[in-house]
């Protein structure tokens, strides 16, 4: 399978790229730095730029969004996810996995009330961006991507086998 990981230069995105590569998949990462694991195609680019995103996911079978926040940018995750969904629509890519956060969307109901209150107070802005991100994914299935297979993951832990 050909997988494009947006935000694959470090952290979970890089670990996912390594795991996919080791499983025999063809992996491309897109990140601001263009850094990433060896043995995969690492592309530099702005993940909110439609041209950069389309170039990165051209020919992909699936796309994974693992971007974090960006300094000085309030809605980075949702802007990236919007650009990815639009590029997927243009390129005909149907499979999307988005890394979100526990506490975003309806996942907050899974947390104990005291933790939920603290998270909402301390992480209001990042959680609002994750909420927008999840909305974009949900809405993409209702629009022209009716056959888009989407998955929003609130917790992701990749460990070596």
């Amino acid at each position: 399978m050909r997988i494009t990981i947006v935000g694959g230069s470090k952290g979970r995105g890089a670990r996912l790229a390594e795991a996919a590569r080791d499983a025999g998949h063809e992996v491309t990462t897109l990140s601001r730095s263009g850094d990433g694991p060896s043995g995969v195609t690492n592309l530099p680019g702005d993940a909110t730029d439609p041209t950069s995103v389309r170039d990165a996911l051209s020919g992909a079978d699936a796309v994974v969004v693992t971007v974090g926040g960006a300094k000085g940018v309030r809605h980075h995750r949702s802007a990236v996810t919007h650009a990815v969904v639009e590029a997927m629509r243009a390129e005909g890519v149907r499979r999307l996995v988005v890394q979100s956060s526990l506490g975003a969307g309806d996942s907050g109901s899974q947390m104990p009330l005291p933790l939920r209150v603290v998270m909402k107070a301390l992480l209001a802005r990042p959680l609002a961006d994750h909420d927008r991100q999840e909305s974009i994914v949900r809405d993409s299935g209702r629009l022209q991507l009716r056959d888009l297979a989407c998955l929003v993951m609130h917790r992701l832990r990749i460990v070596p086998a």
Side-chain angles (χ1 to χ4, degrees), residues 7-8 15 18 29 35 38 40 45 49 51 56 64 72 74-75 77 81 88 97 101-102 110-111 119 126 148 150:
R15 289 194 300 270
E18 290 168 345
T29 68
D35 296 336
S38 61
V40 306
D49 174 60
T51 302
V64 182
R74 290 191 74 178
H75 308 294
R77 291 173 189 92
T81 303
M88 290 175 69
V97 176
S101 175
L102 186 63
Q110 300 172 24
M111 300 181 325
M119 282 189 67
L148 179 67
C150 299

Side-chain angles (χ1 to χ4, degrees), residues 82-153:
H82 181 265
V84 166
V85 167
E86 292 301 315
M88 290 175 69
R89 181 176 287 128
E91 293 294 319
V93 181
R94 296 185 46 241
R95 295 179 187 100
L96 173 64
V97 176
V98 174
Q99 174 192 317
S100 185
S101 175
L102 186 63
D106 61 1
S107 71
S109 64
Q110 300 172 24
M111 300 181 325
L113 181 60
L115 181 57
R116 196 174 345 155
V117 171
V118 170
M119 282 189 67
K120 291 238 181 233
L122 296 177
L123 301 173
R125 286 186 182 163
L127 287 174
D129 192 23
H130 280 294
D131 289 344
R132 278 187 215 84
Q133 180 186 42
E134 291 184 24
S135 248
I136 291 165
V137 173
R138 272 192 311 276
D139 291 346
S140 69
R142 292 184 205 135
L143 300 173
Q144 296 174 4
L145 293 175
R146 295 191 197 288
D147 56 351
L148 179 67
C150 299
L151 174 64
V152 174
M153 297 174 55

Side-chain angles (χ1 to χ4, degrees), residues 3-30 35-42 64 66 156 158:
I3 303 169
T4 296
I5 301 172
V6 180
S9 65
K10 58 186 174 182
R12 288 187 176 104
R15 289 194 300 270
L16 179 61
E18 290 168 345
R21 174 204 62 207
D22 293 348
H25 298 288
E26 183 181 322
V27 180
T28 299
T29 68
L30 174 66
D35 296 336
S38 61
V40 306
T41 302
N42 297 298
V64 182
T66 64
L156 176 64
I158 300 173

